[in-house]
Amino acid sequence: APLSTCSHCGKRPFADHGGRTIFTEKLSFFGDMPRRVWFQYPFKGIIRDLDGSLTGHTTSSRRLADGEPAKGGWVTPYYQHLEVPQCQKNDLYNGLVCDASIALRRA
């Protein structure tokens, strides 16, 4: 997978428990690939696609402060409690792909 998350990468966790947000834009993918994203332990990463180049979401019903529609979307590991209409489980992303009408954040 071209994008991957890792919060300890083989090191013992101390204070950091993952869940950081990574921002992406202007991505291009070439060739056939089984996955675009791979989440690793502790499976808490959040990827914010700013322009739709990762998720394919180009606009949403949510409006920004300037009135423009929000673009892009979110990718995060699958957890059942995150199943909402704005998010779809997708194996290409190894988790959930959500449109920009919602916001994901670290708890």
Side-chain angles (χ1 to χ4, degrees), residues 8-82:
H8 303 299
C9 301
K11 297 178 184 175
R12 186 174 170 190
F14 292 98
D16 186 1
H17 298 287
R20 302 283 183 231
T21 302
I22 300 165
F23 296 88
T24 67
E25 64 182 332
K26 300 178 184 172
L27 297 177
S28 296
F29 298 93
F30 300 96
D32 194 23
M33 60 188 73
R35 289 204 168 92
R36 286 190 175 179
V37 175
W38 184 253
F39 290 102
Q40 297 183 54
Y41 180 82
F43 306 103
K44 295 182 180 180
I46 301 168
I47 301 173
R48 173 66 170 107
D49 173 22
L50 297 173
D51 61 2
S53 60
L54 174 62
T55 62
H57 294 295
T58 54
T59 61
S60 80
S61 58
R62 188 174 69 108
R63 297 285 173 174
L64 302 174
D66 62 5
E68 291 295 315
K71 295 179 182 178
W74 303 84
V75 180
T76 193
Y78 173 81
Y79 287 98
Q80 187 175 11
H81 70 277
L82 295 175

